[in-house]
Amino acid sequence: MKNISGKIYLMLGFSLAGTSVVTGSILTEKLNGRLVTPISLGIMLLCLFPFYGVRSIRLAGCLKKRDLAVFTLQAGFGIVLFRLFLLTGVGLTSTVEAGILTGTTPAITSILAFLVLKETCNSRTVLGIACSVLGIVLIQKNPQNSAAFSMSHAVGNLLVLCAAASESTFNIISRKYREEGNDTELFSVPPMIQMYLVSLIAFFLSLIPGFYKQSVLSLSTIGWREWLALSWYGLVVTALAFIFFFQGVKRSGAYTTATFSGMIPLTSMLLSLFFLNEPIGLNQWAGGGFIIFGMLFIGRQS
């Protein structure tokens, strides 16, 4: 039951994280991507402060320096760098392609799990991850993407790949220190408190790139649609998705986490179709099917 619940938490967490691509595309139409992170985090921190703010600050004073360092790494890679790369890249490439390229996260996470965590993988794990990677390859072979890329388009794709690498690093950091729970206080920290502390650290880290040569006056030009997207980015993509992720990573191995991160490109692809009306070819549908099959194959191990 613990393994099954872990997979459900991971699926929900990564599905919500997949909405960040479409939400980011909406926000970067009128806002600089660097400004989105501190504003959305600020909204979330203010809304949840009456419930978790005081408890989180008190708990922070009881944590060891090593635990705070882990939170800082999680905030840096999982929120600040991931969003900085993604929001900058999505403004230079298409939303569908950005979502697709985030699908490299399972492959990168698996490589890091093998190299850093020294985790072994059986045939089911290899086949499940291979299906996810095959799905990503099929999605990228969309005939509508065969036109020559401009330099800015190529740079956008590279930045999204950097976002995927940041997400993978976050996954490995979370898993590594959860496994060392006996030596740290992290294992006993409630997910909501951990989410709040990580977001608070990320807020302060994002202030420098967020307001560097960026006027806050640009916020006066946005409407209710953008404010709603900012609230979603903070309360759902950050708070709720991270809670599900922290619950799932406690119950799952690194390879399972890697495979279920394939929900990010799949969710992004579907949302781009229904909300942004971006065309999706047969290869992309087939690739999405392989991603689902990969997750189900890994899930059979429970």
Side-chain angles (χ1 to χ4, degrees):
M1 181 61 68
K2 181 178 179 180
N3 290 336
I4 295 176
S5 63
K7 293 176 176 63
I8 293 175
Y9 280 126
L10 288 175
M11 183 176 67
L12 292 174
F14 283 120
S15 296
L16 292 177
T19 66
S20 63
V21 178
V22 175
T23 308
S25 177
I26 294 173
L27 291 172
T28 52
E29 291 177 1
K30 292 187 177 180
L31 288 176
N32 188 297
R34 297 190 307 269
L35 191 59
V36 172
T37 299
I39 297 300
S40 62
L41 288 176
I43 293 174
M44 184 272 289
L45 291 170
L46 285 175
C47 291
L48 297 184
F49 183 82
F51 307 99
Y52 305 106
V54 176
R55 289 175 58 194
S56 299
I57 294 173
R58 288 177 178 174
L59 182 61
C62 301
L63 292 175
K64 300 176 183 178
K65 291 183 179 179
R66 177 174 175 172
D67 300 328
L68 291 175
V70 174
F71 284 168
T72 302
L73 289 173
Q74 288 179 327
F77 285 101
I79 299 180
V80 179
L81 288 179
F82 174 77
R83 294 187 179 185
L84 181 62
F85 288 134
L86 179 63
L87 293 172
T88 305
V90 78
L92 300 175
T93 185
S94 71
T95 308
V96 170
E97 287 179 30
I100 290 168
L101 290 172
T102 60
T104 58
T105 302
I108 298 174
T109 304
S110 299
I111 293 173
L112 291 177
F114 180 77
L115 296 177
V116 178
L117 302 182
K118 309 299 182 183
E119 290 201 7
T120 58
C121 54
N122 56 30
S123 58
R124 289 183 181 272
T125 302
V126 172
L127 183 57
I129 294 176
C131 286
S132 297
V133 175
L134 177 59
I136 300 306
V137 173
L138 285 173
I139 290 174
Q140 294 188 44
K141 289 184 177 294
N142 185 17
Q144 296 177 354
N145 293 336
S146 59
F149 287 167
S150 64
M151 180 58 69
S152 61
H153 197 127
V155 171
N157 287 343
L158 179 61
L159 289 172
V160 176
L161 285 173
C162 290
S166 299
E167 177 71 15
S168 298
T169 305
F170 168 80
N171 293 341
I172 294 300
I173 291 172
S174 301
R175 182 62 193 175
K176 179 177 176 60
Y177 285 96
R178 278 297 178 184
E179 289 179 344
E180 298 177 358
N182 293 331
D183 299 325
T184 68
E185 299 294 332
L186 289 180
F187 199 77
S188 61
V189 178
M192 286 297 296
I193 302 299
Q194 184 174 359
M195 175 277 300
Y196 197 92
L197 283 174
V198 170
S199 300
L200 182 63
I201 295 172
F203 172 75
F204 288 110
L205 292 177
S206 65
L207 287 179
I208 298 177
F211 292 96
Y212 176 70
K213 294 184 179 180
Q214 175 67 27
S215 175
V216 185
L217 296 178
S218 61
L219 292 173
S220 62
T221 64
I222 65 177
W224 67 268
R225 181 169 174 259
E226 287 74 25
W227 281 111
L228 184 61
L230 282 170
S231 300
W232 177 273
Y233 216 93
L235 292 171
V236 178
V237 176
T238 301
L240 193 55
F242 267 60
I243 291 169
F244 285 142
F245 174 81
F246 289 138
Q247 289 283 11
V249 78
K250 289 193 301 184
R251 299 167 168 83
S252 307
Y255 289 116
T256 302
T257 304
T259 302
F260 274 86
S261 63
M263 286 300 299
I264 294 179
L266 182 60
T267 303
S268 174
M269 183 181 71
L270 294 176
L271 291 178
S272 298
L273 171 66
F274 291 112
F275 291 98
L276 301 182
N277 297 319
E278 292 197 8
I280 298 178
L282 180 61
N283 284 341
Q284 290 178 308
W285 285 112
F290 272 101
I291 291 173
I292 294 176
F293 180 78
M295 291 185 295
L296 293 177
F297 207 90
I298 289 293
R300 285 174 60 89
Q301 296 182 77
S302 61

